[in-house]
Amino acid sequence: MDIAIIIIYLGAMLLFGWWGKSRTKNSADFLVAGRRLGPGLYTGTMAAVVLGGASTVGGVGLGYKFGISGMWLVVSIAAGLFLLSILFASRIQKLKVYTVAQMLKLRYGVNATSASGIVMMAYTLMLSVTSTIAYATIFNVLFGTDRTISVIIGGGIVMLYSSIGGMWSITLTDMVQFVLKTIGVFFLLLPFAWFNAGGYEGIVERLGTAAFDLGAIGVDTIITFFVIYTFGMLIGQDIWQRVFTARSPKVAKWGGTAAAVYCLLYGVAGAVIGMSAAAFLPGIEASDDVYAAITQQILPVGLSGIVLAAAVAAMMSTASGALIATATVARADVMPLLKRLVGRSRDEAAAASNPEHDVRSNRLYVVVLGVVVIIVAALLNDVVAALTVAYDILVGGLLVAILGGFVWKRATGAGALWSMAVGTIVTLGTMVVVGDVLANEPIYFGLGASLLVYVVVSLLTPRTPASVLKIWNDRLASRDGDDDATAEASAAPAAAPAGADTEQQAAPAAPAAPATAPATE
């Protein structure tokens, strides 16, 4: 029965992906769901994409090992989403762009900022790979298939429904995954685990009061979680692309805040589940095995299938969100840069890689990169180090230039470029010196160097041209209404990759329909 439930779930993902195709009429629909998600869909899909396998299976494992203190990983994610939503989401939504690199180009007026897309693409690609490997391990157990077959099955399904309808398909499947995670974690696994552990008294009796020590995981570890995951949430393309789907700045701000609260509760629930498991199911050596072990131990057949499907849903939602983010960055930022490097004109390269060109080309990028994800996931056994490198470069190299553009008017394009270059070099260099890519020092040194260079170079170079800042300020000054036709109509210069010709830049970023279509709840 558990296997049947998983198979039904996977089939449903394909059906919802096909349903999403009917809503996809143009590239704005494919990449950002037409920028018209209401609070219900926006909150659900945002919560789904940020809560992946690390938050679900990993969070329970940390609770098993460290008690309630195991919640800090997911709490740091919730904190990042909260800060993003309260401080930046409404402004990000108003920009009407598609990628982080396009935001940098809009703010600083420097074409070279498209190089940041290479780092962003590496980060989102590895995020999709790690999620694919994670849910493939569950398929190994359920279906008895070897690792490669499991990767092909899961990765193929994610690639198919993501490519069929783009962000609309991903949004609809994310909502199913959000519901599954809510039922599986809050309404099944949490109460069953708490009851079997004997509640608070039973846990204290077997584990002692140390199980409820908030600092048991270590202050250094908690700080590292917040530096990497909180900051990473503020600037990740996979997260920003969900912000772009909101129908208004208010939805982006308050829908994201609601998702952050949900993530906070999710983190606490995962830690309590793991802590409860430690009380009545001791001796599990691998913390990542706790989720499946406790599910099989305390839940009847059928319910255990739902909980296992919830874990798969958590991983697939992250994988699909990272996949479409990778495809968007590859087409909008990386491909134009590569073509310019090999001698093609800016206009030609940009025109060939404009993300608004057509749905078919966007779909092709998702398919090709989906195949790349499957191949990499099948070949690699452990990509934690690669993902850590991508995360460290993302935060150490790009954080200052991205957030600085929102909060410091004096910042210049030269300051942003030098900040990204120095931050990346120092982060990688520190990894070599320390000899451990998983160490904390690289991201600290990288961030410090990036900030210092950003401030010094910006103060020593001419101010950003007034014409560039005027476009930036005009975009941010757009009203907070649900139908912002003015901003949408003027979005093309930001949405089009750097160097697009005048005719392309004059074209609207999306047809008028997304701006005036009925809001989707």
Side-chain angles (χ1 to χ4, degrees):
M1 185 178 292
D2 287 346
I3 293 176
I5 289 173
I6 298 295
I7 292 175
I8 291 171
Y9 160 74
L10 295 176
M13 293 301 96
L14 293 176
L15 290 176
F16 275 96
W18 188 261
W19 184 18
K21 182 181 180 181
S22 65
R23 292 172 173 248
T24 304
K25 308 301 181 184
N26 52 58
S27 285
D29 289 335
F30 190 90
L31 296 175
V32 290
R35 304 188 193 273
R36 59 181 191 269
L37 295 191
L41 282 179
Y42 180 84
T43 299
T45 191
M46 180 62 84
V49 73
V50 301
L51 295 174
S55 302
T56 305
V57 175
V60 170
L62 289 174
Y64 185 87
K65 189 174 182 180
F66 298 105
I68 194 65
S69 188
M71 71 179 187
W72 286 114
L73 185 147
V74 184
V75 169
S76 68
I77 292 174
L81 182 54
F82 176 78
L83 291 176
L84 174 72
S85 301
I86 291 296
L87 300 178
F88 301 105
S90 61
R91 286 184 279 180
I92 292 171
Q93 196 275 345
K94 290 178 181 179
L95 295 178
K96 304 297 182 184
V97 296
Y98 287 99
T99 69
V100 173
Q102 289 175 353
M103 167 262 158
L104 291 170
K105 171 64 169 63
L106 183 68
R107 168 60 179 84
Y108 298 109
V110 179
N111 272 341
T113 53
S114 61
S116 64
I118 296 176
V119 174
M120 194 65 72
M121 182 178 170
Y123 155 72
T124 54
L125 182 68
M126 294 311 300
L127 188 60
S128 189
V129 167
T130 54
S131 298
T132 301
I133 291 175
Y135 59 68
T137 60
I138 296 180
F139 293 166
N140 292 346
V141 176
L142 284 175
F143 302 142
T145 54
D146 64 31
R147 184 175 179 280
T148 300
I149 298 299
S150 296
V151 166
I152 292 174
I153 293 173
I157 290 173
V158 169
M159 183 265 289
L160 281 173
Y161 76 68
S162 299
S163 62
I164 289 172
M167 187 60 80
W168 267 120
S169 293
I170 292 173
T171 296
L172 295 174
T173 54
D174 274 358
M175 288 305 299
V176 177
Q177 292 159 348
F178 172 74
V179 171
L180 267 178
K181 286 190 286 188
T182 301
I183 295 173
V185 171
F186 288 103
F187 294 102
L188 292 178
L189 207 50
L190 178 59
F192 273 90
W194 183 258
F195 175 79
N196 277 268
Y200 177 82
E201 293 79 8
I203 293 174
V204 171
E205 180 181 347
R206 299 172 190 176
L207 302 179
T209 56
F212 292 91
D213 179 5
L214 291 173
I217 199 171
V219 175
D220 289 346
T221 300
I222 295 172
I223 293 174
T224 299
F225 284 160
F226 277 89
V227 171
I228 294 179
Y229 296 108
T230 300
F231 286 159
M233 287 293 298
L234 293 176
I235 59 175
Q237 170 69 26
D238 53 325
I239 311 303
W240 275 42
Q241 198 150 343
R242 299 310 172 101
V243 176
F244 300 151
T245 66
R247 77 182 184 206
S248 72
K250 289 181 180 178
V251 169
K253 181 176 183 178
W254 298 113
T257 301
V261 173
Y262 178 90
C263 293
L264 175 64
L265 298 176
Y266 197 89
V268 174
V272 171
I273 291 168
M275 177 174 58
S276 300
F280 67 86
L281 198 64
I284 301 177
E285 296 183 1
S287 59
D288 285 346
D289 293 338
V290 175
Y291 186 96
I294 190 176
T295 298
Q296 296 172 347
Q297 179 77 16
I298 67 175
L299 293 177
V301 175
L303 293 183
S304 58
I306 295 175
V307 173
L308 289 174
V312 175
M315 300 164 191
M316 281 191 164
S317 59
T318 299
S320 59
L323 176 58
I324 195 169
T326 304
T328 304
V329 172
R331 188 171 191 199
D333 304 322
V334 176
M335 191 57 67
L337 176 64
L338 294 178
K339 289 179 177 178
R340 290 199 299 270
L341 291 177
V342 298
R344 293 182 62 178
S345 68
R346 290 179 180 177
D347 291 350
E348 182 183 8
S353 301
N354 187 338
E356 299 211 19
H357 184 63
D358 63 271
V359 173
R360 182 178 300 175
S361 295
N362 288 317
R363 184 174 288 126
L364 180 62
Y365 270 79
V366 173
V367 170
V368 171
L369 287 167
V371 172
V372 171
V373 167
I374 292 173
I375 293 173
V376 174
L379 293 176
L380 297 183
N381 290 318
D382 183 8
V383 292
V384 173
L387 181 62
T388 300
V389 171
Y391 245 117
D392 284 358
I393 296 175
L394 176 72
V395 176
L398 305 186
L399 177 75
V400 172
I402 294 171
L403 297 189
F406 285 103
V407 301
W408 192 31
K409 295 181 179 179
R410 181 62 179 84
T412 65
L417 291 176
W418 279 101
S419 171
M420 290 188 289
V422 172
T424 300
I425 292 172
V426 170
T427 299
L428 292 174
T430 307
M431 287 181 184
V432 174
V433 173
V434 174
D436 181 8
V437 299
L438 301 179
N440 296 332
E441 291 85 355
I443 196 167
Y444 296 148
F445 283 105
L447 269 176
S450 179
L451 178 61
L452 178 62
V453 170
Y454 184 70
V455 173
V456 172
V457 175
S458 291
L459 292 175
L460 294 177
T461 52
R463 293 177 179 270
T464 303
S467 58
V468 173
L469 288 179
K470 183 180 186 305
I471 295 175
W472 171 264
N473 291 328
D474 287 348
R475 197 69 60 84
L476 291 180
S478 63
R479 62 188 177 86
D480 285 0
D482 291 350
D483 180 14
D484 196 344
T486 302
E488 187 70 32
S490 63
D501 60 31
T502 305
E503 180 180 352
Q504 289 170 326
Q505 291 186 352
T516 57
T520 301
E521 182 61 33

